[in-house]
Every structure is written in C-alpha cells, then in structure tokens.
Amino acid sequence: MSDASLPDILVLPGLPELAAERLEAGPWTLHAPHADGSPPSGISITGLVASGGTAVPNDLIDALPDLKIIAVHGVGYDKVDVAHARTKGVVVTNTPDVLSADVADLAVALTLSTLRRLPAAERWLRTGDWAAGGKFPLTRSATGLRYGILGLGRIGREIARRLEPFAGEIAWHSRNPDPQVPWRYCPDPVALAASVDVLIVAVPGGPATKGLVDARVLEALGSQGLLINIARGEVVDEAALIAALAESRLGGAGLDVFAHEPLVPTALLESDRCVLAPHIGSATLEARAAMAELVIANLRAVLADAPPPTPVP
C-alpha cells in the first residue's frame, strides 16, 4: 500500500541489511520488484536503490517514467547504464570515499595473508600438524617488496599510503598519468606486472576493464608474483588465473571478488596458494553505516530537486 503523500522508492534485491533498515526509517514508501524483476504496477516510482553488484537493466529504467534517481549503494556503478539513465533524465549516484579506507585495509590484509599463507598456516595448526612436530614451510616477507597498483583512484591511493611504510617500491598504472603522484608510473598493465612482486587490482569495473588482467599480465607477474584483487571479479581473466596457478606460473592470489560470484571455481577453493574472501571489502559496521547515510542523503536531495552529494561522473 502506498501513501500518496510520500515518495515511492523501489529497492532491488541484494541491498545489505543495515542499509535496508536505515531506508525503512526514511520519509518514503519502499517497494520491492516482482519475482520477474518488473516493478509494481500503478505506483509512481521516483527513486530506485540498488547495491553496487546488482544490475539495473535498461528495460527497468524505461518502465519507470517518473524515476528521478538511481542511488547505488557502493562505489562501483558499472551495473547501471549511466548514459541510458541520463537520456531519461535520471540522476545516478554512488557512495565513494566512505568505504575507501576499509577496502584499502582489506587489500593490505589480503596481501599480507597471501604472502605469509596465513589460512594454510592456521589449517596446519588446527589439524594437529604442528603438535605432531611438523614444520610449516617458509613464506615471504612483505618488507622491501615491489608493489604495483593497477588503478590509482581513491581506493588505490589509500592502498599505496598503507604500503609506504614497508614497501621497497610502489609503482602504478591508470589510464591517465598524474605527474603529481610520487610513485613510479608504468605505461601499461603488462609493464607494471613485469616490474613488481605484488600486483594489486583496484580499477573500476565495466566494459573498459573487463579482462584487463589477462594471461599476458599474469605471465609478466611471474612464478613468484602475487595477484590481489579487490576491484571486480571480471577485471581478471579467471580461467587464465586458474591456469597460471595450476601450472605454477603464478605464486599466489588474494581475492575478494570473483567473475561469477557468489560462485567460486573449485580450483580456487582447493588451492593452498589462494586466500579468498566473500566480497567483504566494505563490510564493516562503520563503512556500511556511512554508505547507507549517503544513499539516503542522495535520495533526499534529488527528490527535493536539489543537487545530490555524490553524483557519478
């Protein structure tokens, strides 16, 4: 039932629980789509909220003639055709900055955990191998290694700042060189991978970066190199990654994202050289609360015909 005095907001499946709870307390009426993804009929939907990993199809946008805003809960908005939305007069917003620190923290945690093989070491202890007199294999020190960051946006810069105290060198690649950046610039992903020990992927998702980390990049990273991905799963050629690990042409991988998540290939699940996380880069109470408040602030602004705090570029 819709209250005609309140705006009607369509909330797509997949929104984190904390954000859903905060939205429910807002000055609007929330609606869910039908099982087939279509919007409820007879309701003037003016706002739509979706998580960063949830697709917002163009036909759904077209079916909402009164839509004013698509508020994405996440920094990535590659699941929304922004150009199409703009042709319909729809503003698209996201939640940048408030999650950058926590995603960067996880990138460094995955890096250290992969270098020191912490999950494998814990299994070694829990299964009794240590108590039985076994010795866990030696691992690699994080100090003094060469780190490469593919994508030096907000999150990439936060990662670099965290690495600085112990990195031997930091290098980076993005589409646009920035002479003000103090770290070494590489002209392309292959050159970056060839010059570092650990490659951390922090580029946005979308067609422009799909498969960016391909077999050539992994080959350049080499048999001792590590790949860390906290960006989007489809940025990495997952089949090439699995092959490189299976053939010992890559040292290891720390992954928070996957090409077809939540499905993770068995080869990755069974590899002791992989550290895996279930896409939890921004999954802290602090980040998720701030993201929810930014979604709400964007909705309030656009529905009041004011500029939103964080429109997408």
Side-chain angles (χ1 to χ4, degrees):
M1 191 76 174
S2 179
D3 184 338
S5 66
L6 297 175
D8 291 291
I9 308 295
L10 183 66
V11 181
L12 299 192
L15 194 69
E17 184 177 352
L18 191 151
E21 291 174 354
R22 297 287 177 94
L23 277 172
E24 286 172 1
W28 34 60
T29 303
L30 302 182
H31 304 272
H34 295 304
D36 63 0
S38 62
S41 58
I43 296 174
S44 176
I45 298 292
T46 53
L48 185 153
V49 179
S51 73
T54 299
V56 181
N58 285 348
D59 58 0
L60 177 58
I61 297 173
D62 295 341
L64 302 172
D66 299 317
L67 188 63
K68 293 183 176 182
I69 176 176
I70 298 171
V72 176
H73 181 276
V75 67
Y77 50 89
D78 50 294
K79 303 297 184 182
V80 181
D81 186 338
V82 176
H84 182 75
R86 285 174 176 158
T87 67
K88 303 294 182 178
V90 178
V91 175
V92 181
T93 64
N94 65 342
T95 60
D97 295 326
V98 294
L99 50 71
S100 298
D102 285 329
V103 177
D105 286 347
L106 185 70
V108 175
L110 277 174
T111 299
L112 297 175
S113 187
T114 306
L115 282 167
R116 300 304 300 270
R117 299 185 62 203
L118 291 182
E122 183 184 26
R123 286 193 296 272
W124 177 273
L125 182 152
R126 289 182 182 276
T127 55
D129 288 316
W130 190 31
K135 293 188 181 298
F136 189 73
L138 297 178
T139 59
R140 296 188 67 187
S141 172
T143 301
L145 294 184
R146 301 166 300 166
Y147 294 90
I149 300 174
L150 185 56
L152 202 71
R154 295 179 178 93
I155 293 172
R157 289 170 190 260
E158 290 287 343
I159 294 169
R161 293 186 186 105
R162 283 158 173 71
L163 294 173
E164 275 190 308
F166 59 84
E169 182 185 36
I170 296 174
W172 64 285
H173 171 77
S174 287
R175 285 175 296 179
N176 301 311
D178 183 349
Q180 303 303 314
V181 172
W183 309 297
R184 178 171 59 84
Y185 178 76
C186 289
D188 59 69
V190 173
L192 176 63
S195 69
V196 299
D197 303 297
V198 179
L199 180 64
I200 302 175
V201 184
V203 295
T209 58
K210 185 175 182 179
L212 182 64
V213 179
D214 57 14
R216 297 176 308 133
V217 174
L218 297 173
E219 194 69 29
L221 193 51
S223 62
Q224 298 302 310
L226 299 184
L227 177 74
I228 308 296
N229 188 10
I230 49 80
R232 290 288 194 201
E234 61 265 25
V235 172
V236 175
D237 182 335
E238 202 161 74
L241 172 62
I242 290 170
L245 287 166
E247 297 165 13
S248 298
R249 292 183 285 106
L250 184 70
L255 309 171
D256 184 46
V257 290
F258 306 89
H260 305 290
E261 56 188 55
L263 302 178
V264 179
T266 301
L268 296 179
L269 293 172
E270 294 180 348
S271 174
D272 264 354
R273 290 185 294 156
C274 289
V275 177
L276 310 177
H279 202 154
I280 56 170
S282 66
T284 67
L285 291 171
E286 295 81 1
R288 289 290 170 85
M291 292 165 70
E293 291 306 316
L294 195 46
V295 166
I296 290 169
N298 281 317
L299 285 171
R300 286 180 179 273
V302 173
L303 295 179
D305 297 320
T310 54
V312 303

